Amino acid sequence: MSKQSVKKSQRGQGMTEYIVIVALIAVAAIATYQFFGQTVRTQTAGMAQELAGRSAQQTIRAAGDNAQQAVQEGNRAKGLNAYNNEAAR
């Protein structure tokens, strides 16, 4: 193998490693969003209402309920069969 082809191979290997890292970060972000997405949305809605000068007590309570629901979901043991059951709903 020539020096130039080895350098191209190494450059390709580095790019592949970056792609794998980005994919792992994307999977972690999706999982986090799956657990806490609704909570974040309701908290953001509550902040927007407060900034607009309206009371957000109901939205704040809903965010708390969603957070509690996310904690309960996180505590349940899940396997791939649970995913299929959830998707069927």
Side-chain angles (χ1 to χ4, degrees):
M1 248 191 233
S2 69
K3 268 187 167 179
Q4 193 173 25
S5 66
V6 171
K7 283 188 176 192
K8 283 184 180 180
S9 174
Q10 287 177 350
R11 226 180 298 151
Q13 178 185 358
M15 183 59 72
T16 303
E17 290 170 356
Y18 284 122
I19 290 170
V20 169
I21 291 169
V22 168
L24 290 173
I25 290 171
V27 168
I30 290 169
T32 301
Y33 185 77
Q34 186 72 20
F35 281 120
F36 300 110
Q38 188 64 34
T39 303
V40 171
R41 281 192 295 275
T42 51
Q43 286 178 342
T44 304
M47 287 187 284
Q49 285 180 341
E50 290 286 339
L51 286 172
R54 290 180 264 156
S55 175
Q57 289 301 317
Q58 185 177 0
T59 308
I60 292 169
R61 271 189 244 105
D65 293 343
N66 289 331
Q68 185 61 32
Q69 199 172 24
V71 169
Q72 290 171 352
E73 280 290 317
N75 290 336
R76 283 191 347 196
K78 285 188 176 182
L80 289 178
N81 62 346
Y83 173 77
N84 289 333
N85 292 336
E86 294 282 328
R89 287 186 200 180

